[in-house]
Amino acid sequence: MNILIINAGSSSIKYQLIQMPSELIIGKGLIERIGSENATVKYKTKSVDTEEVMLIPNHSAGFKKMATLLMDPDQGVIANVNDISIVAHRVVHGGNTFSDTTEITQEVKDKIKELSILAPLHNPHNLEGILLAEEAFPTARQIAVFDTAFHQSMPVKAKKYALPNELYTDHRIQAFGFHGTSHKYVSEKAISLLKLKSSKIITIHLGHGCSITAVRDGKSVDHSMGFTPANGLIMGSRSGDIDHSLIFYLVNNLGYGMEEVNALLSKKSGMLGLTGLRDLRDIEAKAKTGNKECILALEMNAYRIKKYIGAYTAAMNGLDAIVFTAGIGENSSTLRSLVCTDMDYLGITLDPAKNESKSSNIREVGSTEAKVKILVVPTNEELEIAKQAFGLS
Amino acid sequence: MNILIINAGSSSIKYQLIQMPSELIIGKGLIERIGSENATVKYKTKSVDTEEVMLIPNHSAGFKKMATLLMDPDQGVIANVNDISIVAHRVVHGGNTFSDTTEITQEVKDKIKELSILAPLHNPHNLEGILLAEEAFPTARQIAVFDTAFHQSMPVKAKKYALPNELYTDHRIQAFGFHGTSHKYVSEKAISLLKLKSSKIITIHLGHGCSITAVRDGKSVDHSMGFTPANGLIMGSRSGDIDHSLIFYLVNNLGYGMEEVNALLSKKSGMLGLTGLRDLRDIEAKAKTGNKECILALEMNAYRIKKYIGAYTAAMNGLDAIVFTAGIGENSSTLRSLVCTDMDYLGITLDPAKNESKSSNIREVGSTEAKVKILVVPTNEELEIAKQAFGLS
Ligand SMILES: Nc1ncnc2c1ncn2[C@@H]1O[C@H](COP(=O)(O)OP(=O)(O)O)[C@@H](O)[C@H]1O
Ligand SMILES: Nc1ncnc2c1ncn2[C@@H]1O[C@H](COP(=O)(O)OP(=O)(O)O)[C@@H](O)[C@H]1O
């Protein structure tokens, strides 16, 4: 069975065609800068690897282009639309409604739309992707996989804020959590690798967005992102945790507008604000030449992660493993090392040689004697989405 | 030598006359509701304990009333103003300027005034107290003790936010930390009781405001409150940590005004928002009758503290003792028990009987076998201020 995974953003469509249960990727690609004359269209199969720059005026055109490529007589991988059994959509916000992967009905679409108020930058585009997929692949089942679903298991004490109760009961103001598909995928990999029955694991997703989850017996019990993906760890351009009163100070005393502050915190802060650089590779390279801002930014980043590890160890009263994943987590031995240094009181000790060795496989990088395992687990959100969609079929 | 301790607030003056080095309190009192016809004037000495309700139109009148009481032929404790050698003022915000107790000069006053921008609810009143004390006690030395001073030792990685650098360098946007006098006092008591040379301690100040400090070798290295005393632990009516994006959501989607949100977070949240009650005693009593909101609020409060304990244990890579202090920390065996339950992975185990026994003395309430000591240390900010002022003399 072929499952098409769709991740539709504000100006992009990311797609992957996966054969299940073999888990074989038969085609994938990315359309970026939708709405411009210089949109890029990337497409890759076993035998083809192309990139075109062209006019893609809107998402609808993007979808048509993708379908055309997949069914192209020369470069394609399927004969016609009927070869796709399921289209599985990544949807960012499932609110309190969706704690699991769901077949898309009119009701589900209404709900995703309604939840746009909680994720205005994501849900509307995810929904547009669904509508276009229904048109383009009318014979396929449409399935939604929610970023927030994995965190629906968080206990109330972890997800509720200390605000007037009616904000929780009447206005759904609570922590939802994000990156759920990734945290679920890597925690399951870790649990199966370590053959744990009962387990206390911390998964650390470090990409452009960064988040950390306490996973007890396979279930998310606490998580660093909250009502939105703004807080918690230091990210590429997001501040993560701050004293919220700063917002009032910036507006009342430094003359910022509200939306300006919002943009400052989400687009000009984090590692970018601290170093002027976006890519962790550049920051690491500059730190190696002795640049003080870059050295400090890496230290701050690691220090925040350390504190969350401690917090979740206390929350679970124990720790079997920590798991690094995503672009930075999988590749930056520097950051892993900064996080794991001087953490032996909690049972965490790195094996420096193992940590340095490059690999794209799941691997242990902790010292063998240490109480807590340290794993690097490459994440694969598309595969997790395919698995969940396949599980529903 | 007699030292008069002054804590001047927006509508109150709290004072204590302490003989040093004997540490004897020879008189103390509180003037509240300044600016009203029904101001209350409390005054207590070894032989007198009075409370008057009267017109106190302003702080100047309050100061005169206090001086009159202290020097009253019948009820007083000193003969004339010359019997006061030092007036020591609690000043909330010392910014980055004051890392220690300081003799008050014109420059210091200018600086305290300038720092009012960072503590508009406190510094102006603290300064007014200084000016009035200079007038009322012209022969006494005037000394300032800053709430923020103890936290000046925090390393940059703990006090800097992941925001654009210029906010830190040009606008002093950073964590300052508060309740410093209390955290210093109780951590020193703990270190001396436990006879520790090198030490890793966490002090937990739970009063109306609540905060927690990581104290390494007697120095604050991290702290839960930041740029203002708004964040960190759940407090009487302050939310503590939230996802800061909530502020934008409340304004943009729920129609709140900025100042309304500010008031909501600082005056209607925390335990009050969760339970409708302000006093922890009432919350505990209602929880005992099975009230779900009160039970949950206590759990959330303790859970937040647990996570900070874990975070600071990771930050210091170890833990010798945790110290509970202030109204709740000293008196609520319930909250201490919620915090210390299921914390043995970090080395924390309570002795339930010791925890329940009432006392107003410094005491250990942990299990004797546990790695980490658990102490209850009554705080005494006035005495700490007196000691510091005496130390300068
Ligand atoms: N070898 C590497 N060393 C350090 N950082 C890396 C390395 N490879 C990728 N990264 C970082 O990973 C981040 C992107 O992670 P990724 O998981 O791809 O992001 P996204 O959140 O967009 O999925 C970038 O900051 C990039 O610098
Ligand atoms: N026996 C007690 N049990 C529980 N809470 C108590 C007890 N005594 C005092 N408290 C709580 O202590 C808090 C006030 O603490 P305190 O340190 O006096 O405050 P402040 O921050 O104003 O100095 C109140 O919430 C009060 O309910």
Side-chain angles (χ1 to χ4, degrees):
Chain A
M1 165 191 303
N2 294 328
I3 301 181
L4 178 65
I5 318 298
I6 297 290
N7 185 349
S10 60
S11 65
S12 69
I13 300 168
K14 207 171 156 188
Y15 60 96
Q16 226 174 82
L17 188 63
I18 302 185
Q19 197 177 72
M20 291 298 286
S22 71
E23 301 187 2
L24 199 72
I25 300 170
I26 53 183
K28 65 177 181 180
L30 174 63
I31 305 175
E32 283 175 303
R33 285 198 294 279
I34 292 175
S36 103
E37 288 185 13
N38 300 311
T40 54
V41 177
K42 293 182 192 161
Y43 175 65
K44 197 174 169 181
T45 68
K46 215 173 122 181
S47 49
V48 181
D49 191 349
T50 63
E51 181 168 338
E52 281 176 80
V53 175
M54 62 186 290
L55 167 71
I56 300 281
N58 50 37
H59 282 70
S60 171
F63 246 81
K64 289 211 179 85
K65 179 69 191 170
M66 173 188 72
T68 309
L69 282 167
L70 290 170
M71 294 182 280
D72 186 82
D74 293 336
Q75 305 193 335
V77 283
I78 52 171
N80 59 56
V81 293
N82 297 325
D83 286 349
I84 290 176
S85 310
I86 298 178
V87 185
H89 300 266
R90 177 198 183 204
V91 181
V92 164
H93 220 305
N96 286 327
T97 315
F98 302 107
S99 55
D100 228 325
T101 293
T102 308
E103 179 103 33
I104 296 172
T105 60
Q106 187 55 46
E107 259 182 301
V108 170
K109 284 183 278 183
D110 291 347
K111 199 70 203 174
I112 291 170
K113 188 171 178 189
E114 199 245 292
L115 288 165
S116 291
I117 193 168
L118 298 179
L121 302 178
H122 295 101
N123 272 32
H125 307 294
N126 303 155
L127 182 60
E128 190 179 2
I130 292 171
L131 299 174
L132 290 168
E134 287 177 336
E135 232 176 87
F137 308 100
T139 53
R141 289 173 69 193
Q142 308 284 332
I143 281 171
V145 179
F146 299 92
D147 265 25
T148 48
F150 182 55
H151 301 296
Q152 282 293 301
S153 50
M154 285 199 288
V156 178
K157 70 177 173 188
K159 69 185 175 195
K160 191 172 175 179
Y161 295 109
L163 301 172
N165 275 325
E166 55 277 17
L167 290 177
Y168 179 71
T169 50
D170 303 352
H171 296 287
R172 294 180 298 198
I173 290 193
Q174 59 161 86
F176 288 105
F178 298 89
H179 291 149
T181 309
S182 177
H183 288 289
K184 182 173 195 291
Y185 179 82
V186 301
S187 61
E188 283 173 1
K189 285 271 175 202
I191 289 167
S192 102
L193 180 85
L194 299 174
K195 299 190 178 63
L196 294 170
K197 277 210 182 107
S198 140
S199 60
K200 295 170 178 177
I201 286 180
I202 295 173
T203 51
I204 312 166
H205 178 107
L206 306 174
H208 287 111
C210 301
S211 68
I212 178 164
T213 305
V215 185
R216 183 160 192 167
D217 297 332
K219 291 198 161 63
S220 168
V221 292
D222 210 335
H223 175 73
S224 61
M225 285 172 162
F227 182 65
T228 72
N231 66 316
L233 303 181
I234 298 176
M235 313 187 209
S237 67
R238 274 172 266 171
S239 64
D241 294 333
I242 56 166
D243 174 350
H244 56 266
S245 296
L246 281 176
I247 296 176
F248 305 116
Y249 187 78
L250 290 170
V251 170
N252 294 335
N253 296 91
L254 300 185
Y256 281 77
M258 273 283 279
E259 283 318 302
E260 222 179 329
V261 177
N262 200 347
L264 176 97
L265 295 173
S266 57
K267 297 193 183 121
K268 297 180 185 170
S269 293
M271 298 303 276
L272 176 66
L274 292 171
T275 66
L277 299 169
R278 275 173 196 281
D279 194 304
L280 199 82
R281 282 166 288 211
D282 299 334
I283 296 169
E284 287 185 4
K286 224 169 147 183
K288 283 210 182 82
T289 71
N291 180 281
K292 284 198 182 118
E293 286 173 353
C294 291
I295 293 170
L296 176 63
L298 290 168
E299 267 176 21
M300 285 172 64
N301 194 320
Y303 185 62
R304 183 83 55 92
I305 298 169
K306 269 173 187 276
K307 288 202 279 183
Y308 269 95
I309 291 173
Y312 292 161
T313 302
M316 295 190 287
N317 193 30
L319 186 60
D320 296 312
I322 62 173
V323 180
F324 288 96
T325 193
I328 295 169
E330 292 165 30
N331 297 301
S332 172
S333 56
T334 306
L335 202 71
R336 287 196 303 260
S337 161
L338 286 170
V339 169
C340 296
T341 299
D342 290 335
M343 289 283 271
D344 52 281
Y345 188 84
L346 298 183
I348 297 169
T349 313
L350 206 64
D351 179 319
K354 285 187 194 158
N355 184 46
E356 289 306 331
S357 78
K358 305 263 173 248
S359 158
S360 56
N361 293 326
I362 182 169
R363 58 202 186 275
E364 289 194 40
V365 297
S367 129
T368 35
E369 304 92 62
K371 196 151 60 165
V372 174
K373 304 288 174 200
I374 310 174
L375 302 186
V376 178
V377 180
T379 194
N380 192 336
E381 290 168 82
E382 286 79 13
L383 180 56
E384 177 63 29
I385 291 173
K387 278 173 152 181
Q388 291 194 30
F390 185 69
L392 260 199
S393 71
Chain B
M1 167 192 299
N2 293 328
I3 301 182
L4 178 63
I5 319 297
I6 298 291
N7 185 349
S10 60
S11 65
S12 70
I13 300 168
K14 207 171 157 187
Y15 59 96
Q16 224 173 83
L17 188 63
I18 301 185
Q19 197 177 71
M20 291 298 285
S22 71
E23 301 186 1
L24 198 72
I25 300 169
I26 54 183
K28 67 178 182 180
L30 174 63
I31 305 174
E32 282 174 302
R33 283 197 295 278
I34 292 175
S36 102
E37 287 184 15
N38 300 311
T40 53
V41 178
K42 292 181 191 162
Y43 174 64
K44 196 173 171 182
T45 68
K46 216 173 118 181
S47 50
V48 180
D49 191 349
T50 63
E51 180 168 339
E52 280 177 82
V53 176
M54 61 186 291
L55 166 71
I56 301 281
N58 50 36
H59 281 71
S60 170
F63 246 82
K64 289 209 179 90
K65 179 69 191 173
M66 173 187 71
T68 308
L69 282 167
L70 290 170
M71 295 182 283
D72 186 83
D74 294 335
Q75 305 194 332
V77 284
I78 53 170
N80 60 56
V81 293
N82 297 325
D83 286 348
I84 290 176
S85 310
I86 298 178
V87 185
H89 300 267
R90 179 200 181 202
V91 181
V92 164
H93 220 305
N96 286 327
T97 316
F98 303 107
S99 55
D100 228 328
T101 293
T102 308
E103 179 103 33
I104 295 171
T105 60
Q106 188 55 48
E107 258 183 298
V108 171
K109 283 183 280 185
D110 291 346
K111 199 69 203 174
I112 291 171
K113 188 173 179 185
E114 198 245 292
L115 288 165
S116 290
I117 193 168
L118 299 179
L121 302 178
H122 295 101
N123 272 31
H125 307 294
N126 303 154
L127 182 60
E128 190 179 4
I130 292 170
L131 299 174
L132 290 168
E134 287 176 336
E135 232 176 87
F137 308 101
T139 52
R141 290 173 68 194
Q142 307 283 332
I143 281 172
V145 179
F146 299 91
D147 265 25
T148 48
F150 182 55
H151 301 295
Q152 281 292 301
S153 50
M154 285 199 287
V156 179
K157 70 177 173 188
K159 70 185 174 194
K160 192 172 174 179
Y161 296 109
L163 301 172
N165 274 324
E166 55 278 17
L167 290 178
Y168 179 71
T169 50
D170 303 354
H171 296 287
R172 296 181 296 200
I173 289 192
Q174 59 161 89
F176 289 105
F178 299 89
H179 291 148
T181 308
S182 177
H183 288 289
K184 182 172 196 291
Y185 179 81
V186 301
S187 61
E188 283 173 2
K189 284 273 177 199
I191 290 167
S192 102
L193 181 85
L194 300 174
K195 299 192 178 62
L196 294 169
K197 274 206 184 112
S198 140
S199 60
K200 295 171 178 176
I201 286 180
I202 295 174
T203 52
I204 312 167
H205 178 108
L206 306 174
H208 286 110
C210 301
S211 69
I212 178 164
T213 305
V215 184
R216 183 161 194 166
D217 297 332
K219 290 197 162 64
S220 168
V221 292
D222 209 336
H223 175 72
S224 60
M225 284 172 164
F227 182 64
T228 73
N231 65 317
L233 303 181
I234 297 176
M235 312 187 210
S237 67
R238 275 172 264 172
S239 65
D241 294 332
I242 56 165
D243 174 349
H244 56 266
S245 296
L246 280 177
I247 296 175
F248 305 116
Y249 187 78
L250 290 170
V251 170
N252 295 336
N253 296 91
L254 300 186
Y256 281 78
M258 272 284 278
E259 281 319 303
E260 221 179 328
V261 177
N262 201 347
L264 177 96
L265 295 173
S266 57
K267 298 195 184 120
K268 297 180 185 170
S269 293
M271 297 304 275
L272 177 65
L274 292 171
T275 66
L277 298 169
R278 277 174 195 279
D279 194 305
L280 199 81
R281 281 167 289 210
D282 300 333
I283 297 169
E284 288 185 4
K286 223 169 148 184
K288 282 209 184 85
T289 71
N291 180 281
K292 283 194 184 123
E293 285 173 355
C294 291
I295 293 170
L296 176 63
L298 289 169
E299 267 176 21
M300 285 173 64
N301 194 320
Y303 186 62
R304 183 83 55 90
I305 299 169
K306 270 173 187 275
K307 288 203 277 183
Y308 269 95
I309 292 173
Y312 292 160
T313 302
M316 296 190 287
N317 193 29
L319 186 60
D320 296 312
I322 61 173
V323 180
F324 288 95
T325 193
I328 296 168
E330 292 166 31
N331 298 300
S332 173
S333 56
T334 306
L335 201 70
R336 288 196 304 260
S337 161
L338 286 170
V339 169
C340 296
T341 300
D342 290 334
M343 289 283 271
D344 53 282
Y345 189 84
L346 298 184
I348 296 170
T349 313
L350 206 65
D351 179 317
K354 285 188 195 158
N355 183 46
E356 289 305 332
S357 79
K358 306 263 171 250
S359 158
S360 55
N361 293 326
I362 181 168
R363 59 200 186 276
E364 289 194 38
V365 298
S367 128
T368 36
E369 305 91 61
K371 197 152 59 165
V372 175
K373 304 288 173 200
I374 309 175
L375 302 186
V376 177
V377 181
T379 194
N380 192 335
E381 291 169 81
E382 286 77 14
L383 180 57
E384 177 63 29
I385 291 174
K387 278 172 150 182
Q388 292 194 31
F390 185 69
L392 259 199
S393 71

